Amino acid sequence: MDRGEDRPPLGAQARHRSDEGESENDEEERSHFRRVCDSYRQYATFHITRELGVHRRRRRLLSSSRRVDDEKDDEDDSDAPFHAIESILPPSLRPDSPEYRASRARLRDAAIRNQYFLDCALRHSDQETSQDALRRRRQITSRGDSNAVEWVTEDQMSKVDSVLRSVARDWSAEGREERGVAYDRIAGAVERYAPLPAVGGAAARTTRIRIAVPGSGLGRLAWELRSRGYSVEGSDFSLPMLLASDFVLNGRCSGSGSGGGGGDSSSPKFAISPWIAETKNSLSLEDRVRTVIVPDVDTADAVLPPSRREGGGGDSADDRGDDDDDCPEFTMLAGEFMHLYSHFLPGRRHRHRHDEDDPDRRRKFHVVACSYFLDTAPSLPHYLLTMYHMLEYGGLLVHFGPLMFHWSGHGGLLPNDVETDGGDDDRENNGSWYDRRNERLDSRYLSSIDYTWEEVREMIVGCGFVIVEEETRIPNWYASDARSMMKVVYDCVFCLSRSKPPVVVTSDDAMEARWWSLDQVKRAEFYALRQ
């Protein structure tokens, strides 16, 4: 992620925003950011404590077995031997055995390994690490002051587990096959239908093909497109994901990560164990604690302009030369899709004054690349219309993924709601029993609708797109443990569509400005509209 000289890490950005002015939303954002950082800091403590809970359950199991043995009827003259539970347990499950202690130590080491990666991400964002927090608590305790820790919830910690699985999916060699099904299709389609102008040509100097990658998560798809020479703007709503992606794409540790690295400026390598939270469907403990090395590439190769890579010269403006000016952009934004891009809709304005002053925020895109994103929309029609208007005419919408509909499954109307509210019509009753029953539920659950692919396809066409390529039932996993005894396979859809230009085009200059967004066949069709 090319933050540029004036874009600090995420943590510093949060503090910078707080210095510019106070509002209720700003305070909510800062509070959310603090809780996300807390969940990173408390990761190892949570997992080690969970393992302590499992240890206590095993102790209770053995204790109950011994009580049953003691209470066995002395008058029972059955010849069948009585097997105490302890006698059939493998050594790795017997609390007093060396094998058991070794198993617990391996799980503890895996949690600490992951904590080190998360601490490096926190340090990169100028945030307190788990060790910093521990030292601070000890100092407070030594002074005799109150030292209550505000622990995060299990739901918040599950998001960190999801981050580690996504890191393995996007940035390890083990995840290459899984992510390649989606990313290779998307990148290949972009290269076919939005090819880059010839290097050194006039078009290459004056225009850059801009790609938006909403829901970019850990950033690998955005990085892959940027490495092919496109200007890319990724975005995501999840702060846990953004903290990790910011570190993977921009982190520069002077030392090595666990698992390799040196003192150079290349991306450090880390060994993480992303599957330790998966206690079900495991063939062995080894499968749970095994490590993957991340990242599997040097992210600086695509993120930094040539003059700023190792051996590429100085950092001054004079040293950078024209190469940096021609270097495609790479940025990542934090925010919900409509919040970031609804200003492209007709009659809408930027929500923030600084966005209105930024010419980059007014420039349209030539490609919107979506991987596992469309079904995250609380209102899919709004997302599709926004994508159409944020694209140049002739621009591409590339979609790959299933239809899980993340805002589905909550807030359904029940028979009791209809009876209590007095009627079975479809009117909306503000203050109804249904509203009161769901008042603590995010309102997006109450407005979300599940669609079939046929309905989604018709909406895409209705927005003003033409379907160019379509393929269904493409099997793919998502952040799946390759060694797990259970895997969820999605039959995904790949769809590439192109936005139609207006029926009447009167500006030759506007037509000329869009020629490069089409392949040769489509360019000919585009120019034919002028006849």
Side-chain angles (χ1 to χ4, degrees), residues 105 114 155 182 218 260 272 289 306 325 333 338 400 461-462 509 515 518 524:
N114 293 344
D155 181 63
L218 267 294
I272 63 172
V289 302
D325 294 335
L333 303 180
M338 292 299 293
F400 181 94
V461 173
D509 291 338
W515 72 270
L518 309 174

Side-chain angles (χ1 to χ4, degrees), residues 252-270:
R252 287 291 174 271
C253 298
S254 58
S256 66
S258 175
D264 58 25
S265 62
S266 63
S267 298
K269 304 294 183 183
F270 294 85

Side-chain angles (χ1 to χ4, degrees), residues 53 180-181 187 220 230 260 266 282 292 321 328 333 361 380 387 396 474 506 521:
V181 175
R220 184 59 181 257
Y230 296 94
S266 63
S282 295
V292 297
L333 303 180
R361 301 301 299 139
L380 184 55
M387 290 175 183
L396 302 174
I474 305 169
T506 59
V521 175

Side-chain angles (χ1 to χ4, degrees), residues 243-526:
L243 270 178
S245 68
D246 187 30
F247 172 61
V248 172
L249 291 169
N250 293 301
R252 287 291 174 271
C253 298
S254 58
S256 66
S258 175
D264 58 25
S265 62
S266 63
S267 298
K269 304 294 183 183
F270 294 85
I272 63 172
S273 299
W275 315 115
I276 62 172
E278 304 299 319
T279 59
K280 301 176 182 178
N281 293 300
S282 295
L283 283 175
S284 67
L285 177 64
E286 173 62 31
D287 288 346
R288 288 182 60 197
V289 302
R290 75 185 190 277
T291 60
V292 297
I293 304 301
V294 295
D296 61 332
V297 293
D298 185 353
T299 56
D301 285 345
V303 173
L304 295 179
S307 66
R308 294 175 60 190
R309 298 173 193 162
E310 185 179 10
D315 285 340
S316 69
D318 294 337
D319 290 335
R320 293 173 193 167
D322 294 336
D323 287 344
D324 286 11
D325 294 335
D326 293 336
C327 183
E329 304 159 348
F330 189 22
T331 58
M332 293 282 275
L333 303 180
E336 195 270 335
F337 177 75
M338 292 299 293
H339 182 88
L340 295 174
Y341 299 112
S342 63
H343 62 273
F344 285 109
L345 292 170
R348 298 294 293 271
R349 293 175 59 83
H350 291 273
R351 296 191 179 193
H352 301 290
R353 181 185 56 78
H354 64 267
D355 283 344
E356 293 181 355
D357 297 336
D358 185 357
D360 287 344
R361 301 301 299 139
R362 295 194 296 269
R363 288 189 298 161
K364 291 194 173 186
F365 295 88
H366 314 108
V367 180
V368 175
C370 304
S371 175
Y372 284 81
F373 177 70
L374 288 187
D375 59 353
T376 68
S379 177
L380 184 55
H382 285 88
Y383 273 38
L384 293 175
L385 284 168
T386 302
M387 290 175 183
Y388 176 80
H389 286 287
M390 65 191 283
L391 282 168
E392 294 276 5
Y393 295 126
L396 302 174
L397 170 59
V398 190
H399 158 70
F400 181 94
L403 294 177
M404 278 288 292
F405 294 113
H406 294 213
W407 295 99
S408 177
H410 299 279
L413 190 68
L414 303 178
N416 187 50
D417 298 326
V418 176
E419 292 177 359
T420 305
D421 292 335
D424 58 354
D425 57 21
D426 59 358
R427 62 187 174 186
E428 294 184 6
N429 298 320
N430 293 328
S432 66
W433 169 256
Y434 171 79
D435 292 332
R436 294 194 299 273
R437 184 170 62 82
N438 293 290
E439 62 183 359
R440 296 185 180 275
L441 196 63
D442 191 309
S443 60
R444 287 172 287 189
Y445 283 111
L446 307 182
S447 60
S448 178
I449 299 174
D450 298 349
Y451 304 94
T452 67
W453 170 246
E454 290 181 348
E455 292 167 337
V456 175
R457 191 183 191 281
E458 287 191 26
M459 286 191 287
I460 291 174
V461 173
C463 288
F465 289 99
V466 176
I467 304 296
V468 179
E469 288 188 16
E470 182 180 6
E471 185 179 357
T472 60
R473 302 196 181 282
I474 305 169
N476 194 213
W477 301 266
Y478 191 87
S480 177
D481 181 0
R483 298 189 188 179
S484 174
M485 298 168 66
M486 185 188 78
K487 302 178 184 66
V488 176
V489 181
Y490 298 102
D491 280 343
C492 297
V493 171
F494 173 77
C495 180
L496 183 144
S497 54
R498 187 184 297 279
S499 64
K500 294 185 293 187
V503 176
V504 178
V505 180
T506 59
S507 172
D508 285 351
D509 291 338
M511 187 72 76
E512 292 291 343
R514 301 183 183 109
W515 72 270
W516 42 264
S517 68
L518 309 174
D519 61 22
Q520 293 182 355
V521 175
K522 293 296 180 180
R523 288 174 195 163
E525 296 174 357
F526 201 58

Side-chain angles (χ1 to χ4, degrees), residues 93-128:
L93 293 180
R94 297 177 186 174
D96 296 326
S97 70
E99 292 86 352
Y100 181 82
R101 290 191 290 271
S103 296
R104 293 192 67 193
R106 295 187 69 188
L107 286 166
R108 182 185 64 249
D109 291 345
I112 294 173
R113 204 160 34 237
N114 293 344
Q115 184 67 70
Y116 176 70
F117 172 81
L118 297 170
D119 278 349
C120 288
L122 288 168
R123 186 179 298 113
H124 171 71
S125 289
D126 298 330
Q127 297 300 302
E128 188 179 59

